[in-house]
Amino acid sequence: MNDIVYDVIIVGAGPAGLAAALYTSRDRLKTLMLEKLMPGGQITTTDRIENYPGIERIEGPTLIEQMQKQVTNFGAEIKNGSEVTKLEKLKNSQFIIYCDQDKYAARAVILAPGSSYRKLGVPGEEEFRNAGAGVSYCGTCDAPFFRGKHVVSIGGGNTAVEETLHLAKYADKVTMIHRRDEFRASKVLVEELLAKANEPNSNLIIKYNAVAAAIQGKDRVQSVRLKNVKTNKEEDYSCDGVFIFIGMVSNTDFLKGFVELTDRGFIKCDCAYLRTSVPGVFVAGDCRAGAAMQLATAVGDGVVAAMMLKEYYRNPAWWKEPVSDQFSPSGW
Amino acid sequence: MEANMTIDIKDETFENEVLKSKVPVLVDFWAPWCGPCIMAAPVLEKIAGEYQGRLKVCKLDVDQARQIAIEHGIMSIPTLNIFKNGQVVDQIVGVTPRYESDLKKKIEPLLE
């Protein structure tokens, strides 16, 4: 280990982590970001962001490139391919963060590890996924492999709608399976989806009140066992691939035993100053309890965590103080 | 981390680089339009550097080397196929939450 003690180490370089790093590095705090892959996280897989205030429309990767440039210009260090495996708090209140063979020291930590694809948990899913035989969680990645084929997409949120529309550009036929009788995705997207499905001879079919009970086939996906949740009637529905878009789970496995997590794996915090159960460890973004799971709110979290850092440096006892309307962060 | 420790392969170079290799080969089936593939690249560079001489890491752009991708039944990217003595001995589909650790778990037992 080198002798550098960083003012702050940020775990995860998605929008939350990058926003935090912008504030800390611009405030001349010695900042290190540890990213297990490359900066960006989930947002890099979207090609249309239309709800980030002030920017009419931008692609995920472009926004991330700009955010990254902004933080490194202010002196933040980003280490890619650095998967954090363990964190430790020493008696002198310093933190040691382990990445494979490397370790780093810091005065404080901001956790922004984000989330990954949620699994459906039905028979066939793991098997066909691991065999690369027709189960996918990424439409933008895998749609081109299904040219001329019939695919089933599962889900009803924003990602599901966006990705299903993308699939319909490649596949011969797309059947969207949704467990409710209406969509909860944002209106703009739902309108676009329904317009596409209502086109004459559309290749997009929507099946409401339906869930997938199993994914079936010999060597590769050949059908999905569908169950109607209203009638309980089941049918084998033939298809060549299944795309699953049912949300995300937080990447917090490596934090078990270090900070308190909720039953569903989110990082517990005070939801205002973003303090976790461990003094000196803040949280930001999708992985925290109560997160709104939006790009703009993740960025907001990053800023809050960065601002609160200085309160902690100044007075570590502040950690135990309740959330109060008398409080405002100073020094910014 | 050293850059460009990985080898780009095409349909024509696949046999020599991969099938005839004396050491195990990790082949990354990827494409430039695949976000997770791009995100995973630093991990593969790191693996290529760490196992240099004992494992070869090759990158195969599925748009450039279509034939090989079809022959291997690739339906999802990134897919990593691990070849030993010309045979596929293991596979990892997609970017798992603990990608680097997961890759190493698959690679270690295959090395001499």
Side-chain angles (χ1 to χ4, degrees), chain A residues 280-303:
Chain A
V281 178
F282 293 87
V283 61
D286 284 5
C287 62
R288 76 164 171 93
M293 312 236 177
Q294 295 294 303
L295 169 61
T297 56
V299 164
D301 270 10
V303 173

mmCIF file of all heavy atoms in Angstrom, chain A residues 280-303:
data_model
loop_
_atom_site.group_PDB
_atom_site.id
_atom_site.type_symbol
_atom_site.label_atom_id
_atom_site.label_comp_id
_atom_site.label_asym_id
_atom_site.label_seq_id
_atom_site.Cartn_x
_atom_site.Cartn_y
_atom_site.Cartn_z
ATOM 1 N N GLY A 280 -18.552 8.250 9.078
ATOM 2 C CA GLY A 280 -17.531 8.476 8.048
ATOM 3 C C GLY A 280 -17.854 7.790 6.724
ATOM 4 O O GLY A 280 -17.161 7.998 5.739
ATOM 5 N N VAL A 281 -18.926 6.999 6.717
ATOM 6 C CA VAL A 281 -19.325 6.322 5.479
ATOM 7 C C VAL A 281 -20.681 6.853 5.018
ATOM 8 O O VAL A 281 -21.694 6.664 5.703
ATOM 9 C CB VAL A 281 -19.399 4.792 5.658
ATOM 10 C CG1 VAL A 281 -19.855 4.119 4.359
ATOM 11 C CG2 VAL A 281 -18.057 4.244 6.099
ATOM 12 N N PHE A 282 -20.677 7.543 3.874
ATOM 13 C CA PHE A 282 -21.915 8.063 3.296
ATOM 14 C C PHE A 282 -22.371 7.136 2.166
ATOM 15 O O PHE A 282 -21.622 6.290 1.696
ATOM 16 C CB PHE A 282 -21.681 9.467 2.730
ATOM 17 C CG PHE A 282 -21.386 10.504 3.776
ATOM 18 C CD1 PHE A 282 -20.086 10.712 4.224
ATOM 19 C CD2 PHE A 282 -22.407 11.270 4.309
ATOM 20 C CE1 PHE A 282 -19.809 11.668 5.178
ATOM 21 C CE2 PHE A 282 -22.140 12.242 5.272
ATOM 22 C CZ PHE A 282 -20.835 12.438 5.715
ATOM 23 N N VAL A 283 -23.616 7.351 1.725
ATOM 24 C CA VAL A 283 -24.134 6.539 0.629
ATOM 25 C C VAL A 283 -24.801 7.474 -0.381
ATOM 26 O O VAL A 283 -25.322 8.530 -0.015
ATOM 27 C CB VAL A 283 -25.128 5.477 1.163
ATOM 28 C CG1 VAL A 283 -26.332 6.122 1.846
ATOM 29 C CG2 VAL A 283 -25.598 4.546 0.044
ATOM 30 N N ALA A 284 -24.778 7.103 -1.650
ATOM 31 C CA ALA A 284 -25.424 7.914 -2.684
ATOM 32 C C ALA A 284 -25.922 7.039 -3.820
ATOM 33 O O ALA A 284 -25.265 6.068 -4.198
ATOM 34 C CB ALA A 284 -24.434 8.949 -3.227
ATOM 35 N N GLY A 285 -27.106 7.395 -4.318
ATOM 36 C CA GLY A 285 -27.609 6.738 -5.530
ATOM 37 C C GLY A 285 -28.591 5.604 -5.298
ATOM 38 O O GLY A 285 -29.177 5.472 -4.226
ATOM 39 N N ASP A 286 -28.734 4.765 -6.313
ATOM 40 C CA ASP A 286 -29.748 3.702 -6.347
ATOM 41 C C ASP A 286 -29.651 2.693 -5.213
ATOM 42 O O ASP A 286 -30.621 2.008 -4.913
ATOM 43 C CB ASP A 286 -29.624 2.899 -7.653
ATOM 44 C CG ASP A 286 -30.187 3.641 -8.842
ATOM 45 O OD1 ASP A 286 -30.578 4.810 -8.670
ATOM 46 O OD2 ASP A 286 -30.233 3.047 -9.927
ATOM 47 N N CYS A 287 -28.480 2.559 -4.619
ATOM 48 C CA CYS A 287 -28.271 1.467 -3.669
ATOM 49 C C CYS A 287 -28.727 1.830 -2.263
ATOM 50 O O CYS A 287 -28.636 1.022 -1.355
ATOM 51 C CB CYS A 287 -26.801 1.105 -3.648
ATOM 52 S SG CYS A 287 -25.827 2.502 -3.103
ATOM 53 N N ARG A 288 -29.212 3.070 -2.059
ATOM 54 C CA ARG A 288 -29.597 3.428 -0.689
ATOM 55 C C ARG A 288 -31.089 3.239 -0.443
ATOM 56 O O ARG A 288 -31.889 3.294 -1.376
ATOM 57 C CB ARG A 288 -29.202 4.873 -0.392
ATOM 58 C CG ARG A 288 -30.095 5.920 -1.026
ATOM 59 C CD ARG A 288 -29.861 7.251 -0.350
ATOM 60 N NE ARG A 288 -30.503 8.360 -1.018
ATOM 61 C CZ ARG A 288 -31.709 8.817 -0.702
ATOM 62 N NH1 ARG A 288 -32.418 8.232 0.232
ATOM 63 N NH2 ARG A 288 -32.210 9.856 -1.334
ATOM 64 N N ALA A 289 -31.421 3.025 0.820
ATOM 65 C CA ALA A 289 -32.820 2.906 1.203
ATOM 66 C C ALA A 289 -33.531 4.198 0.822
ATOM 67 O O ALA A 289 -33.012 5.294 1.058
ATOM 68 C CB ALA A 289 -32.928 2.652 2.699
ATOM 69 N N GLY A 290 -34.686 4.079 0.206
ATOM 70 C CA GLY A 290 -35.488 5.258 -0.132
ATOM 71 C C GLY A 290 -35.071 5.950 -1.414
ATOM 72 O O GLY A 290 -35.563 7.044 -1.715
ATOM 73 N N ALA A 291 -34.201 5.351 -2.199
ATOM 74 C CA ALA A 291 -33.725 6.001 -3.424
ATOM 75 C C ALA A 291 -34.854 6.111 -4.445
ATOM 76 O O ALA A 291 -35.681 5.218 -4.565
ATOM 77 C CB ALA A 291 -32.574 5.206 -4.026
ATOM 78 N N ALA A 292 -34.866 7.231 -5.180
ATOM 79 C CA ALA A 292 -35.887 7.420 -6.213
ATOM 80 C C ALA A 292 -35.451 6.797 -7.539
ATOM 81 O O ALA A 292 -36.238 6.730 -8.482
ATOM 82 C CB ALA A 292 -36.179 8.905 -6.392
ATOM 83 N N MET A 293 -34.192 6.358 -7.609
ATOM 84 C CA MET A 293 -33.671 5.611 -8.767
ATOM 85 C C MET A 293 -33.772 6.374 -10.067
ATOM 86 O O MET A 293 -34.199 5.826 -11.086
ATOM 87 C CB MET A 293 -34.388 4.269 -8.903
ATOM 88 C CG MET A 293 -34.462 3.529 -7.599
ATOM 89 S SD MET A 293 -33.737 1.931 -7.751
ATOM 90 C CE MET A 293 -33.875 1.326 -6.093
ATOM 91 N N GLN A 294 -33.424 7.612 -10.037
ATOM 92 C CA GLN A 294 -33.378 8.420 -11.239
ATOM 93 C C GLN A 294 -31.969 8.965 -11.411
ATOM 94 O O GLN A 294 -31.235 9.138 -10.432
ATOM 95 C CB GLN A 294 -34.363 9.607 -11.117
ATOM 96 C CG GLN A 294 -35.809 9.181 -11.051
ATOM 97 C CD GLN A 294 -36.244 8.537 -12.347
ATOM 98 O OE1 GLN A 294 -36.159 9.124 -13.412
ATOM 99 N NE2 GLN A 294 -36.681 7.286 -12.266
ATOM 100 N N LEU A 295 -31.622 9.277 -12.642
ATOM 101 C CA LEU A 295 -30.327 9.891 -12.905
ATOM 102 C C LEU A 295 -30.162 11.172 -12.082
ATOM 103 O O LEU A 295 -29.161 11.370 -11.398
ATOM 104 C CB LEU A 295 -30.215 10.183 -14.408
ATOM 105 C CG LEU A 295 -29.056 11.055 -14.864
ATOM 106 C CD1 LEU A 295 -27.727 10.412 -14.523
ATOM 107 C CD2 LEU A 295 -29.163 11.307 -16.362
ATOM 108 N N ALA A 296 -31.175 12.037 -12.142
ATOM 109 C CA ALA A 296 -31.060 13.332 -11.477
ATOM 110 C C ALA A 296 -31.006 13.185 -9.952
ATOM 111 O O ALA A 296 -30.313 13.960 -9.283
ATOM 112 C CB ALA A 296 -32.222 14.238 -11.882
ATOM 113 N N THR A 297 -31.718 12.205 -9.406
ATOM 114 C CA THR A 297 -31.681 12.050 -7.949
ATOM 115 C C THR A 297 -30.374 11.399 -7.505
ATOM 116 O O THR A 297 -29.852 11.708 -6.438
ATOM 117 C CB THR A 297 -32.883 11.233 -7.423
ATOM 118 O OG1 THR A 297 -32.910 9.965 -8.075
ATOM 119 C CG2 THR A 297 -34.184 11.967 -7.641
ATOM 120 N N ALA A 298 -29.816 10.537 -8.330
ATOM 121 C CA ALA A 298 -28.514 9.934 -8.008
ATOM 122 C C ALA A 298 -27.457 11.027 -7.947
ATOM 123 O O ALA A 298 -26.636 11.083 -7.028
ATOM 124 C CB ALA A 298 -28.140 8.891 -9.054
ATOM 125 N N VAL A 299 -27.514 11.923 -8.926
ATOM 126 C CA VAL A 299 -26.580 13.044 -8.975
ATOM 127 C C VAL A 299 -26.785 13.932 -7.736
ATOM 128 O O VAL A 299 -25.818 14.340 -7.093
ATOM 129 C CB VAL A 299 -26.798 13.839 -10.290
ATOM 130 C CG1 VAL A 299 -26.156 15.205 -10.228
ATOM 131 C CG2 VAL A 299 -26.269 13.042 -11.473
ATOM 132 N N GLY A 300 -28.046 14.167 -7.381
ATOM 133 C CA GLY A 300 -28.354 14.966 -6.188
ATOM 134 C C GLY A 300 -27.776 14.313 -4.937
ATOM 135 O O GLY A 300 -27.171 14.993 -4.095
ATOM 136 N N ASP A 301 -27.924 13.012 -4.830
ATOM 137 C CA ASP A 301 -27.364 12.272 -3.690
ATOM 138 C C ASP A 301 -25.851 12.473 -3.602
ATOM 139 O O ASP A 301 -25.303 12.700 -2.528
ATOM 140 C CB ASP A 301 -27.594 10.762 -3.876
ATOM 141 C CG ASP A 301 -28.911 10.295 -3.280
ATOM 142 O OD1 ASP A 301 -29.726 11.154 -2.899
ATOM 143 O OD2 ASP A 301 -29.103 9.062 -3.191
ATOM 144 N N GLY A 302 -25.201 12.373 -4.735
ATOM 145 C CA GLY A 302 -23.742 12.511 -4.764
ATOM 146 C C GLY A 302 -23.322 13.864 -4.217
ATOM 147 O O GLY A 302 -22.379 13.977 -3.424
ATOM 148 N N VAL A 303 -24.065 14.890 -4.603
ATOM 149 C CA VAL A 303 -23.750 16.253 -4.155
ATOM 150 C C VAL A 303 -23.970 16.369 -2.641
ATOM 151 O O VAL A 303 -23.125 16.905 -1.918
ATOM 152 C CB VAL A 303 -24.609 17.289 -4.918
ATOM 153 C CG1 VAL A 303 -24.412 18.680 -4.353
ATOM 154 C CG2 VAL A 303 -24.280 17.252 -6.410
#
